[in-house]
Structure formats: structure tokens, C-alpha cells
């Protein structure tokens, strides 16, 4: 019966982050307000002074949590989020409002009154491109149009770094990164740069015209590395309200997109609830639902059923579809000698279909028809890697790379139709074989964004695969992957609960941010610097509030030193009150000030010469 | 009062691992038995057959848990572990048994009857090298002697891989690694190879003659990557029995060495308990205890007090000492402009001392006297990186690298005395600057083993620093680091509890193993292959039992599908009973058998030509 309840407001997490407030930055080309999170900091007590303080400017961070963390915004999950993009879409004058859902299945579900009690109440009529028009961001970009979405993204990616650096130059220092030929602008992102990247196919903006609730975001190697969180019930567990809260919860901790992989009953209705309440793009794997429609029998799948499913979901507002069009009949036997065969669900569904009919994959043969549907709603392709390796032993094999080459061909076809496209990647790969995946993807897929699952760098740690995969994810993100699909601790074992979702998201934020730092993304290091300064100055609250998970940081600290006093104390539980390493550094600075650092530098160089001599003399230390 | 209790047997974890038994492999050169863990597997049901099965040979894995997981061995923490190496040491005829502790402090503590109730009962008289003799493994190696320790290590590192590969050739496949110039033997490790590596200084065997309880292990880039776990009470918390169990607990999950960083009272007695009950080498930072002896005032430290502390701890059996001899007066000002100054406790203690006296670091000026002590007990140097960066901003700076160069000089001096030496490394380093650390260490320190803390690849995730650092640890392990010092989730926030210690150890086993795989260490992939085969064949129990943490894997699985039946079911909770990807692969194999894979390969190549043509033709799919 659990499944039958309608989401209740109170089940949705809305607490703002500590010491944080939502700020909205205005656009210049368009009338837009870009949401960000501003973390205010406490003052630094100047060591040894009579209560003198240094003011610490607040820090702005990228915020995927949507309106839920803004107490000013009233949210009613029964009504869904405000339609941020609605006017932008209509103003373009290239869409028409339909009378209602045009998919056979969509109509059926709507007509079925037994579903009324769990149906979203305010379903608006779907939009679709007028006749032969193309409404994709790629199409606009190629025509030289900078859409509101593009300006929103430029402002969002910059996170006011110019202002921050001006306010606090000491935190502006950042290591020059190594970006393997990515060409992120050195200082900040302009709307025109966003347009160029989208036009080149190097970046995508998942933005279905029927999902106006999304806050625009971009997936491309010259932008911040993004992460995706999978949610979804299955035949075994879960309920609608859990799904909505799971999505809100995942966004709260940093998910840039959500994939709804539901396979249970009522997934059509569940999806409506999730999309209407999601501030981030939603992706799906339509073949999963198509399979349910034919009772789970892969061989019973038809192009017509699949096509109807695409339209059903496109009209609900799904922003990107995983399509396993690269699983070709001739590739299937290449998996026969594998240790773990085909582990992608979509891949094995299509493999089974191909074998059963001894025909080519219908997703491949009907690919251009799929493009026609995608461009009418601006749904982006996520070309699935149905033959990805399921264990280290199968990594980088003939089957995997054969499919990747085909995905490259399909990318060209999608682009011919101005349909935005990203490419999915593995899987299980040992560290030393990760770069080959990235290099081959860039080459074969013409720099279309790469979207990888992990990769997991060892198979022996079920229960910890968020970690085995974060290692690979951080590396491949550095090498150029644009979006990382998270892995939770339950991978291979079961369905993630709320804690698992949070663990997976935080772990992947770490991997993505580590990649941004290594690539030298402009401003990426600012938050690290601010947090480290707070740590050094024993501003415990600021250290907690600047962290990816303030709640856990505070909780862990309090386990050892619960007293409020301890949070302003000039020592930490690791060393105890008697002695603290950081305190001493203050004295070093005073010493250096007397000496003058330059002088010390010179001194050092001189002494080095000496010490060289002295080792040559056989290192007699007491001459 | 908690601190005053004597450890109770029942507080020590002794449960054997599921489906596992201890096995002992005999030596050929010496009368030794090398402990390993053997995991027995269930049979594979051959798909579609009438109950036919394939037998799966058991898997042998590296085991650091010591006698605690062998039900055959009676362990009494009050008596300590059996003295495995005692006879090997005495047979060499180069040590003498002392009347008792020779350090002033050691004698004081022994004389203090108020400590009787918490003193270890069976303290044996310490051993020391006869007069001018040298009892280090490096000294023996240089003389061409293969010690029992060396043969033990060779057998232990191989983990019977030859037998395993013979028993199950399908699991023998392993990717050729990329080892950055390390020269690990392709097939297996010989005792002579161990000797050569130790003689060259590329590997160390921490094995104090007063810690005969250790099971010999090796730290070097041409061997399995090792991990260290820190334990230790502090002024703020903890008790003796907790320390012993923490050590046993850390070894159980995979710690190859333990560092006792206790800073509280009674650390002399605590250390005795820990060493007598530790099957792995114990490391310490003697300056911590020396500081306690002078009431926490760094400037009050003297060479005499430090020297007495070295002897005190050497005679208890500490296997390696972290010595911050590279923190030179002239380097201290180089840290003045840092964002987080000096964060190493040892480093800041010595910096403070240098500044207070305006004199050179006494660990540096007395370095050869320290060598004299080390070689009389075979204590290894772990040359501390007192100037390691405490945040990303300070990574790879002048202070850090200046100290590293000095550690290189000191390595030469230590080697002149045949004292085994490893070098400690950072710290906080963004991914793209990690390799520079490894390359510079190999060059400056003449290939002495590198022993790094993390490095952490971002500063913004307190509460998750086991993960931020595992990313860096896996990479630097791959590049050539020999031992990884673990980081727990409590890093920067508080003292680790048992759960944190386990999380830190498992996370670092993952990093170390990922590095072994990427380096192509012989046999490293066998366990991954065995687990993946079990996963593919739905042998859930085998999947759990082969994992690094069987308890957690089983528990996570049971959260979703508790039924015993589910563990042999041919589906998993991710897909539900209706459909499962792995099932389909069975059909693929049958299909491939009909076709013949070779034929398919040929077919594929042909088709690729076709598809190239066809894209040139503009990808019209329906000609």
C-alpha cells in the first residue's frame, strides 16, 4: 500500500545550509536570476592582538539544491516547482502546445481513473516544436543565438569568482592545472563561450522544453565536472514519495542531474512527480519501461512500442535518454569469452533482442527517426555503453571499443539533426587503462562529452564501490570526462537508501572537484583555500560550513569535543590542549618577519652549497 | 579510572573470516611457516545442466591479522604473542641479552611500583647488538645473507600464485601493468630478489630484534603496496585495552604496520602492551614522548632526553622511528608565507626548538649518533616530512622540496651505517602535482622507499578525508610509493573510533590494491577475477567471502533481500526477479558457440569496412 500514497510536503527536506543564504545574480543579456549559495564566515582573531579582527568575506558556491533551500520560496510538491524557463521557451515562438499527451501509453494512463489518486494534479499540456522546426540548444547555438539558458550557465559556472578574488586576493592563488588539451578560459566563462562549446558539440545543455523547472546547467569538458545520481524504485521496493525526496535529497548534496531508473509499477506517474519537482535535468533509460510494457520479454520489444515510450517520456519532460544503439548484432559474440559477459541492463536487453530475431539492433536501424523525436522536444542523447566491462578482466576489450566506434558514427548522425549528444563510458577499469578510454572516446566521438560510470579500479570491495570508483572517476574527470555517474556503497549488492545516496553524491562531488582542481578550472581552488585558512585559524564553524557536508563534519568533531567552547578553542582533539602544531607557526611568522624572508631565502641557498660540500666531505657532522 | 584497567582477553577480536582458514607454507632455505588465509569457494552450477557443477578452487590471500584469526592458536594478551622470530635472531649470534632496560626513563618506570597494576607482566630482557656489531637486515643483505625474514617475505608476497594459476587458469589472466620503471619480477618473488632489494636500499624490513612477535613484511616499490594505520590515545581520550584492540582490529582488516602515536600518560606501558601483542611492525614518533617528558615545552627538549627516549623505545621493540631531521633552521622561514604554515606536529616541534635556540635541528646535528642506536637494534628510519603541505595551496613549495633534498642527504648517511630507511611524504596535493612528488623523491632519495600520507586531493571534504586521500594514495602508489599511511574519516576533526579505523584501513587496502593492479604486480588480479566470476555466477556467498569486508558486503545485500534464498537466487535486487542482465549472457554464449567467435571476429571486421563506407555515404540508414 506504501506505493499508493501521495507525497506529503513534510517528507521533503528543505532546511537551508548552515550560515548560508540563496543569492540570485542578474543577467545582462537576458532577464534572468541565477541562483547561488553564499556562505558567510566569521572574523579572524589576530593572534596576540587586543581583540583585533580581520574580516573574512563570504564565499559563493555552486548550488544544485534548487528552491528547496530558499526559505523565501514556497514549495508545494503537489503543484511542482516554479516553471523558471517557461517564458524563455515560449518567447522563442517555435513551439506549440498540444491538446494533451500524444503517446498511446500516455493517453491510456491518463484515461485510467484507478490511477487518479496517485496522479500528479497539475499536469500541463505538453509542448512540441512546430512542424519541422528544431528547438534544441545545439540548433540555436549553431545559428549564433545566445539563449537565456546559455547566459544562465555562464554566470552559474563563474560563481562570482571575479568578485571573490577581488574581495580576498590572498585566497585567489591557484595552481596552474594540467588539462590534457581542454581549453577552459583562464579567467571566467562568457555566454558566447557557452554558445561556441554547445555549437561545437563539445558541451550539452539538457533542457527538454517540457521541463521548464530545470535550472540550466551544462555538461562539457571545458566546464565544471558534473555528477549524476541514479534513483528509482524497482520491482522489489520503494514508493513515489520516496522517489521525489530521493531526488530532492540527491540535488541537495550536489547531484547535477538525476537519472530515474524506476522499473516498478506506476513509473509513468512516479516520473511525473519527479520531473515536476526536480530543479535539475532528468535522464532515463526508455528501454526499461518499454520492456515492462512487453512483460519483461526482450524478444517481444518492437520499434513501435519503443517509439511510443520515447514520445511518452519526452512529453513528460525527460531531458536526456540513454539509448543503447551501439550494441550491434555483430558485436554480441565478442562478449562470449568475457569473464562477466554483458552487465549493462540496456545492453543485454538489446543483445537478447538481436539474437532472438537475428536482426540488427532496432535502435540503430531507426536512429534517424529517434533523432526526429529528440529535436522536437530538445531531448539529448546519452548514447549508452551496452557492452561496457563488468569487471577488470574485461576492460578495454574488442567488444567495448567496437561499440565506442559505433557511438562515434551515431554522434555524427545526431549532430546532423542538431540533436545534443553525450557518450556513456565504463565501468570497471584498472587505473593504468583509464586514460586509453578517454583518449579513444575523444577521438572516436569527435569530442562529444564523455559521461562515465566510475570507473571502478578494483573488483574486490563490494560495499565500498563508491570509493573504488571515485578513484577512477577523479582520474577520468581530470583526463576530460564531463560528467561522472555516481556509484553508491550498495553497488552490486542492493538498492541505495537515503544514506547511500548521500554517500555516493558527496563521494562524487569530491572526485569531480579533485578533477576541476587538477584541470585548473578558474576559481576551483578558492573554496579549498578559504576552508584551509579557516582550519588554520581554528575557525571551526567556518571549516564545517565551507565543507561539502557541514552536518557530518560538525558531528564528527563533536564526538570527541562536544563543548561549544572547543569550537573556538585554539587547539584540536588530535593534539590536545598541551600542544598544537598550528599555534607554533605563528611564532615562525614573527621570526621570519624579523629575518625577512628574502634574506632567509638567500641564507638557504648559501647553506645548501655548504651542505653539498659537507656531504662530499663524507658527512662528518661535527667538524 | 578507565585508563587504569588491564586488557581483558574478551575485548580482543578473534573471529576467523567467513569460509576462511589459516594455512602455513613451509620455507625451503629455512625452517619457517608463512601464514596465509585460504578462502574456500562453493561450486558453480552449470547453466541449464542437470545439476552438473564446476568446482572452484580456493583462493589464498595476504593476511595481516596474525594468530588472532587462527582458532588453533591460544592467545593471551597478558602474555603476548608467540615470539616467532626469537630463535632466528639468537641463531645469528650477534646479539646479547641485557640485564634490563638501559634507558634512564625505562628504569624509572620499571622501578615505579604505582604502575605495577597496569604493567605488562612478562617483560623479557632486551636484546642489543654485541659491541660494535650491526644487526640490521640491510647489513645482512649487503653481506649476501638471505635471512629467514627474507625467505618468509618472498613466500608471503607470492601468495601461492603459481599454485592458484595452475588450479584455475581462467582466473590467471591479468592486464600487463604500467610500473613507471619499477622492476617487479614478472612471475614471482624469490628470496634472493628480496635480499637484493634490501641491499640496494629500495626496500626495508622493519624488524627490531626486540619485536620477535612480528610476521616479517617488506616495504618497497617492487613489492605489494603496504598500508599503515595510526593508533594512539591522546591527552583527551582512550585507554590501554582500547589501544591493544585497536591494533588487533587494524591488523585484522589489513594494516601492514601500526604507528602508535599515543601522547597521553602511561604511554610507555601502553606501548609495551601494543608491541607484545602486535603481529605487524610498530612505528612511533619518539619526539612526541620526549616532548611529554619536558612538559610539552618544545624549547626545553635536549639531545640527551631524546637519545634516552630512542633507547627506551628501541629496547621495547619499536620497529621504525619517524625522525624529523630534515627540518633545518634555514628552511623554517620558507613556511612563513604559507596558507597553513607547518602542520606536522614533529615538524613544528623542531621548528619551535630551532627558533627558540636559534640553533640547527639537533636531530640533524646528532644524526650519526642516532644511526649508532638504530643499528644496534635494527630500528628503521622513517625520515619525517616535517614541512609537508597542510593544504593544496602549499603543495610542492620551496619548504617541502628543500626538506626532501635534505632527507636525501640523510638517507646516504643512514645507508653508510647500514640502517634501513624510508622517506615520508605529503600531505595535501592536487592530482596533477602528485607525480612530481614521486619523481623528485626517487631522484633525491636514491630510490629509498616512499611512505606517504594520502595525499589528499582536495581540502573541502572534512568527514570524508579517507576518500579525498584514497584518490591521491592510489595514484602515488601506482607511481611508486611503497607504503600508504591511512587517513580516517575523522582526519582534521577528531580521534578515530573503531569504525573509523576500519573505514580507513579498508579504504587504503582499496587504494593499495588498485595500485598493485595498475603496476601489474604478479598475481594481483587473481582475487578480482575470482570475485567477478562469483558475482557473474550469482555465488553471493563467495562474492562476500572474497571481498575485503565480507561482513559489510553481506549486511548491505541482506538489507534489500534478507532471505537466505536470495543469496542463491539467479537475480539480484538491482533488477528484480523479472529480468537480469547476467542471465542473458548465457544465451549470448550459446549463440557464439553456434557462430564461432573467430567467424564473428572476421564478420565484425568486414562490417566495419561497410559501416565506414556507409557513413561516408552520409549515413542513410535505410538504403
Amino acid at each position: 500500500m506504501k506505493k499508493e500514497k501521495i507525497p506529503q510536503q513534510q517528507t521533503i527536506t528543505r532546511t537551508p545550509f548552515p550560515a548560508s543564504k540563496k543569492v540570485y545574480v542578474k543577467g545582462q543579456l537576458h532577464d534572468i536570476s541565477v541562483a547561488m549559495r553564499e556562505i558567510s564566515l566569521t572574523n579572524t582573531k589576530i593572534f596576540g592582538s587586543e581583540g583585533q579582527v580581520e574580516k573574512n568575506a563570504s564565499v559563493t558556491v555552486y548550488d544544485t539544491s534548487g528552491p528547496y533551500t530558499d526559505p523565501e520560496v514556497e514549495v508545494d510538491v503537489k503543484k511542482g516547482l516554479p516553471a523558471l524557463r517557461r517564458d524563455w521557451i515560449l518567447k522563442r515562438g517555435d513551439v506549440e502546445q498540444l491538446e494533451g499527451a500524444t503517446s498511446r501509453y500516455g493517453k491510456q494512463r491518463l484515461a485510467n481513473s484507478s490511477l487518479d489518486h496517485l496522479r500528479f494534479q497539475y499536469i500541463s499540456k505538453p509542448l512540441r516544436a512546430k512542424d519541422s522546426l528544431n528547438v534544441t540548444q545545439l540548433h540555436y547555438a549553431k545559428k549564433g543565438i545566445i539563449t537565456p539558458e546559455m547566459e544562465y550557465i555562464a554566470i552559474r559556472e563563474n560563481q562570482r569568482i571575479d568578485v571573490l578574488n577581488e574581495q580576498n586576493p590572498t585566497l585567489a592563488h591557484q595552481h596552474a592545472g594540467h588539462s590534457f588539451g581542454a581549453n577552459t578560459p583562464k579567467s571566467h566563462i562568457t555566454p558566447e563561450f557557452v554558445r561556441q562549446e554547445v555549437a561545437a558539440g563539445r558541451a550539452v545543455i539538457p533542457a527538454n522544453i517540457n521541463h521548464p523547472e530545470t535550472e540550466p546547467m551544462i555538461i562539457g569538458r571545458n566546464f565544471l565536472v558534473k555528477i549524476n545520481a541514479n534513483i528509482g524504485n524497482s520491482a522489489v521496493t520503494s514508493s513515489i514519495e520516496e522517489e521525489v525526496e530521493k531526488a530532492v535529497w540527491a540535488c541537495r548534496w550536489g547531484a547535477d542531474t538525476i537519472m530515474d531508473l524506476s522499473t516498478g509499477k506506476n513509473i509513468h506517474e512516479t516520473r511525473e512527480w519527479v520531473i515536476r519537482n526536480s530543479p535539475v535535468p532528468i535522464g532515463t533509460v526508455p528501454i526499461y519501461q518499454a520492456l515492462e510494457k512487453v512483460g519483461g520479454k526482450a524478444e517481444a520489444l518492437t520499434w513501435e512500442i519503443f517509439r511510443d515510450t520515447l514520445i511518452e517520456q519526452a512529453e513528460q519532460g525527460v531531458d536526456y535518454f540513454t539509448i543503447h544503439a551501439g550494441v550491434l548484432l555483430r558485436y554480441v559474440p565478442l562478449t562470449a569469452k568475457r569473464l562477466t559477459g554483458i552487465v549493462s541492463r540496456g545492453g543485454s536487453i538489446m543483445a537478447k533482442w538481436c539474437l532472438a530475431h537475428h536482426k540488427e539492433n532496432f535502435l540503430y536501424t531507426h536512429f534517424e527517426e529517434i533523432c526526429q523525436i529528440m529535436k522536437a522536444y530538445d531531448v539529448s542523447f546519452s548514447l549508452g555503453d551496452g557492452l561496457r566491462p563488468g569487471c577488470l578482466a574485461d576492460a578495454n576489450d574488442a567488444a567495448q571499443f567496437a561499440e565506442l566506434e559505433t557511438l562515434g558514427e551515431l554522434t555524427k548522425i545526431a549532430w546532423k539533426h542538431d540533436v545534443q549528444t553525450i557518450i556513456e563510458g565504463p565501468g570497471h577499469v584498472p587505473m593504468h587503462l583509464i586514460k586509453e578510454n578517454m583518449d579513444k572516446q575523444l577521438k572516436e566521438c569527435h569530442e562529444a562529452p564523455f559521461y562515465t560510470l566510475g570507473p571502478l579500479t578494483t573488483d574486490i570491495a563490494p560495499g565500498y564501490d563508491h570509493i573504488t570508483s571515485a578513484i577512477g572517476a577523479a582520474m577520468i574527470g581530470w583526463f576530460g570526462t564531463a560528467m561522472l555517474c555516481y556509484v553508491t556503497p550498495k553497488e552490486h549488492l542492493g538498492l541505495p537508501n537515503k544514506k547511500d545516496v548521500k554517500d555516493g553524491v558527496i563521494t562524487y562531488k569530491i572526485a569531480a572537484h579533485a578533477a576541476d582542481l587538477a584541470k585548473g578550472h578558474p576559481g576551483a581552488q578558492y573554496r579549498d583555500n578559504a576552508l584551509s585558512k579557516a582550519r588554520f585559524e581554528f575557525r571551526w564553524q567556518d571549516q564545517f560550513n565551507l565543507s561539502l557536508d557541514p552536518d557530518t563534519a560538525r558531528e564528527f568533531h563533536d564526538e570527541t569535543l562536544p563543548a561549544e567552547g572547543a569550537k573556538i578553542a585554539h587547539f584540536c582533539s588530535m593534539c590536545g590542549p598541551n600542544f598544537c602544531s598550528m599555534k607554533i607557526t605563528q611564532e615562525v611568522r614573527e621570526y621570519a618577519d624579523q629575518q625577512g624572508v628574502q634574506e632567509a631565502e638567500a641564507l638557504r641557498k648559501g647553506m645548501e652549497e655548504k651542505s653539498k660540500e659537507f656531504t662530499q666531505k663524507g658527512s662528518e657532522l661535527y667538524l
Side-chain angles (χ1 to χ4, degrees), chain A residues 267-527:
Chain A
I267 55 181
H268 178 86
E269 289 66 31
T270 309
R271 188 184 305 120
E272 189 72 32
W273 283 103
V274 170
I275 294 171
R276 298 286 74 83
N277 289 287
S278 173
V280 305
I282 297 294
T284 62
V285 187
I287 202 77
Y288 291 177
Q289 188 183 6
L291 189 74
E292 302 238 334
K293 293 176 179 177
V294 296
K297 296 195 172 26
E299 54 276 32
L301 283 165
T302 66
W303 161 242
E304 291 63 31
I305 286 164
F306 185 77
R307 183 180 178 287
D308 193 65
T309 307
L310 292 184
I311 294 167
E312 170 203 347
Q313 298 195 9
E315 292 183 350
Q316 287 189 295
V318 173
D319 300 284
Y320 62 93
F321 288 150
T322 294
I323 307 277
H324 297 92
V327 180
L328 302 191
L329 179 60
R330 64 184 184 273
Y331 299 158
V332 174
L334 299 179
T335 66
K337 291 258 174 288
R338 279 179 161 184
L339 190 59
T340 59
I342 301 175
V343 295
S344 150
R345 284 192 67 218
S348 44
I349 293 166
M350 294 321 298
K352 185 165 185 170
W353 188 92
C354 291
L355 298 188
H357 299 277
H358 210 304
K359 275 211 205 125
E360 193 48 281
N361 180 338
F362 64 78
L363 302 173
Y364 183 80
T365 55
H366 290 270
F367 194 73
E368 299 219 28
E369 283 163 276
I370 298 175
C371 293
Q372 301 291 352
I373 297 167
M374 308 291 267
K375 66 186 175 192
Y377 304 93
D378 196 7
V379 181
S380 300
F381 273 115
S382 183
L383 295 177
D385 56 336
L387 302 182
R388 70 166 177 266
C391 64
L392 293 192
D394 297 340
N396 297 22
D397 72 352
Q400 185 197 332
F401 284 153
E403 180 186 33
L404 184 59
E405 289 159 23
T406 298
L407 298 185
E409 294 168 20
L410 296 171
T411 301
K412 282 239 168 111
I413 299 170
W415 284 351
K416 198 184 67 182
H417 292 271
D418 292 352
V419 176
Q420 306 191 86
T421 304
I422 59 180
I423 310 294
E424 296 185 6
H428 293 241
V429 185
M431 279 192 286
H432 67 298
L433 298 183
I434 289 175
K435 191 150 189 310
E436 182 183 15
N437 278 273
M438 189 70 237
D439 296 344
K440 193 165 171 62
Q441 188 274 343
L442 286 171
K443 179 172 158 296
E444 299 292 338
C445 300
H446 327 290
E447 292 194 82
F450 205 21
Y451 168 32
T452 63
L453 177 75
L456 286 70
T457 54
T458 167
D459 302 340
I460 65 171
Y464 299 82
D465 279 331
H466 57 312
I467 298 173
T468 64
S469 65
I471 294 166
M475 290 173 71
I476 205 163
W478 173 26
F479 300 153
T481 289
M483 184 157 76
L484 307 169
C485 182
Y486 88 161
V487 171
T488 78
K490 290 279 169 65
E491 184 76 13
H492 299 118
L493 298 171
L495 291 168
N497 58 29
K498 265 181 90 169
K499 183 185 183 308
D500 299 318
V501 168
K502 180 180 174 181
D503 286 345
V505 168
I506 298 282
T507 301
Y508 270 65
K509 289 304 279 189
I510 289 167
H513 184 64
D516 291 331
L517 289 164
K519 283 161 68 177
H521 190 91
Q525 200 181 305
Y526 191 91
R527 187 177 184 175

